Amino acid sequence: MGFALKKPKDVPGRSWPAIMIGFFVAFGGVLFGYDTGTIGGILAMPYWKQEFSTGFVDDQGPNVTASQTSQIVSILSAGTFFGALSAAPLADWLGRRWSLIFSAGVVFNLGVILQTAATAIPMFTAGRFFAGYGVGLISALIPLYQSETAPKWIRGVIVGSYQFAITIGLLLAAIVNNATKKQNNTGSYRIPVAVQFAWMLILIGGMLILPETPRFLIKQGKHEQASRSLSKLRRLPGDHEAIREELAEVQANHEYELSLGKAGYIDCFKGNVGKRLLTGCGLQALQQLTGINFIFYYGTAYFTNSGIKNPFVISMITSAVNVLSTLPGLYAIDKFGRRPLLLAGAIGMCVCQLIVASLGTVYSGQDPVTGKSFSLNDDAQRAAIAFVCIYIFFFASTWGPIAWVVTGEIFPLKVRAKCLSMTTATNWLLNFAIAYATPYLVNFGPGNANLQSKIFFIWFACCFLCIAFVYFMIYETKGLTLEQVDELYAEVKVASKSRSWVPTTTFRDIRASKAEQGGLGSGAYDEKHENQVVHESSA
Ligand code: BGC
């Protein structure tokens, strides 16, 4: 089959415009990664602590208390959670493109302005909330926009590039924080915060030029505009047969969905859409439960405990491994498919977490009075760090990007924005829960579980669950149009059989078959009956 990802011969027109557009939109991931990555460094800056202090803490002079810190950190997750949920009504009302422009230009921008201007905690916290709200909106809108514009044969790479941008954002945050951390003026925190204006302007500038997605325009009944958008994406004249065929299929799929009734939130939980929602939410929840953000949020402290002297170097290394490992993943998504990669990733992460947990537990000791842990064998600690990096490799090349790819492509158009916003909100909810609970689980002292390195056993158990989850829940969607994914779920009842499924019918066939039986929109067909139509016409 060769190594290169080649455009199939039967795909007319050019793919590069849609690919470039998809890659450009992925830039929103930089906002996501940077915004989540920057706060840890800012909170540790001496000038920031002094400026925002409301009193003396212990023997450290003017400082910010633990509860103020947790308020500032967790308000972002609250914002992202509600932002992701609001993405659906916004995207179905304003459209995917204008929603992105609004989210970045108004909501996120307001958050950045407030944080830059702030010299006290209340305004800074409000800024974190709005920036988080904007990031939450953007984090659901990007995979939606990308999936609805990408050519099917390379959709995985395009949506996966969003994850690549997230990792670059995290790395940039580490670099900028490090560059300004010692400044003894407001520049120490204002520069890393204000840099985000640049990301926002780049995203908005591009979105003003890019087209609305043809699928949203069809949903709105704007056929002419949908045809213009698709011809721009595929670089083919609007009356070209390939454009007419692709649009006809999207249109037929949409009419078919409408014929089943109007789509409300309740429809996201029914029938095979409910199964898909469970798959998407489970995938995003498990992506967080693999323990990735333990490394990015608390890794510095953990590595320092392991006897490593320069935490900055460690955070640079883990961030760089994260960025670089995403690249082979992007290549593999459309080459080998979602299911085998997720399975391989889960097994790889599972083994790494077990080794890290065992090494950490066996080779570290703890002072029973102060609770401070120390290394009993430096080589074992270094080996553990190497396995953390291998774990990041497995995450970044599989579960990192594929969680976004799969959730972007498994839902039917009618409820796509709603379902995608719920799966993304699940990611943020778990992100928050883990960030919030981890210190209590790991730390020594009253009210804490003092798990120390044993926390890795929890991540190991979750990665083990990931293996079963992929086997039973993940359908192979590589190389299918979004409309064929719908058929796949209607026809194949068991995820493990999805790899051998070949689409044999189109929604236009179904429409024709329905027309014979009394026309679309009669609302008389229940889902079981619809599935029969698919089977009959494909038989
Ligand atoms: C996750 C983030 C994580 C990042 C690391 C994303 O896919 O959703 O929570 O920090 O990957 O690269």
Side-chain angles (χ1 to χ4, degrees), residues 13-254:
R14 306 211 184 286
S15 291
W16 65 262
I19 295 174
M20 295 312 292
I21 288 175
F23 282 158
F24 178 82
V25 176
F27 186 83
V30 172
L31 266 75
F32 172 158
Y34 188 95
D35 199 53
T36 49
T38 194
I39 192 67
I42 290 179
L43 294 179
M45 287 175 183
Y47 184 86
W48 188 88
K49 287 198 245 181
Q50 194 188 320
E51 175 83 13
F52 286 75
S53 158
T54 49
F56 286 76
V57 176
D58 302 330
D59 52 355
Q60 302 163 25
N63 205 342
V64 174
T65 65
S67 72
Q68 287 168 329
T69 307
S70 99
Q71 169 196 321
I72 292 166
V73 174
S74 56
I75 195 83
L76 176 98
S77 315
T80 50
F81 175 75
F82 292 112
L85 284 181
S86 323
L90 195 66
D92 281 343
W93 173 57
L94 268 186
R96 286 45 169 153
R97 174 172 166 258
W98 278 106
S99 295
L100 267 170
I101 296 173
F102 173 78
S103 306
V106 179
V107 186
F108 180 74
N109 200 12
L110 173 65
V112 177
I113 291 173
L114 289 173
Q115 286 176 79
T116 312
T119 48
I121 289 178
M123 193 168 178
F124 197 82
T125 308
R128 295 287 303 153
F129 178 80
F130 284 108
Y133 204 100
V135 168
L137 281 163
I138 292 168
S139 65
L141 292 167
I142 290 175
L144 183 62
Y145 184 95
Q146 289 178 312
S147 317
E148 291 191 348
T149 49
K152 62 177 180 179
W153 64 276
I154 198 169
R155 188 176 59 239
V157 179
I158 292 178
V159 183
S161 65
Y162 167 52
Q163 170 73 12
F164 185 57
I166 296 175
T167 64
I168 292 182
L170 281 163
L171 180 64
L172 285 173
I175 295 172
V176 177
N177 275 344
N178 185 61
T180 66
K181 69 174 185 244
K182 289 203 182 115
Q183 284 194 23
N184 197 25
N185 53 44
T186 57
S188 58
Y189 68 92
R190 281 190 167 143
I191 294 172
V193 171
V195 160
Q196 299 180 95
F197 284 123
W199 315 146
M200 185 239 352
L201 285 175
I202 296 173
L203 184 64
I204 293 180
M207 289 315 298
L208 285 172
I209 305 169
L210 302 185
E212 179 52 87
T213 80
R215 287 177 169 89
F216 172 74
L217 293 166
I218 289 279
K219 194 170 182 320
Q220 294 279 298
K222 297 177 178 159
H223 203 273
E224 265 305 299
Q225 291 180 34
S227 156
R228 273 204 299 278
S229 158
L230 194 62
S231 78
K232 206 167 169 182
L233 287 165
R234 304 279 181 266
R235 281 289 185 282
L236 285 171
D239 56 0
H240 190 282
E241 205 195 325
I243 297 287
R244 278 193 282 121
E245 273 194 5
E246 193 171 341
L247 275 186
E249 183 59 6
V250 175
Q251 176 85 43
N253 172 270
H254 182 53

Side-chain angles (χ1 to χ4, degrees), residues 83 86 95 176 207 218 233 242 297 330 406 431 476 480 488 527:
S86 323
V176 177
M207 289 315 298
I218 289 279
L233 287 165
Y297 297 167
L330 292 191
V406 167
N431 186 319
E476 184 53 69
L480 302 177
L488 167 73
E527 201 193 350

Side-chain angles (χ1 to χ4, degrees), residues 32 163 166-167 170 287-288 292-293 296 322 395 400 404 427 431:
F32 172 158
Q163 170 73 12
I166 296 175
T167 64
L170 281 163
Q287 192 222 40
Q288 292 295 307
I292 188 67
N293 286 323
F296 288 114
N322 195 26
F395 175 88
W404 300 105
N427 177 296
N431 186 319

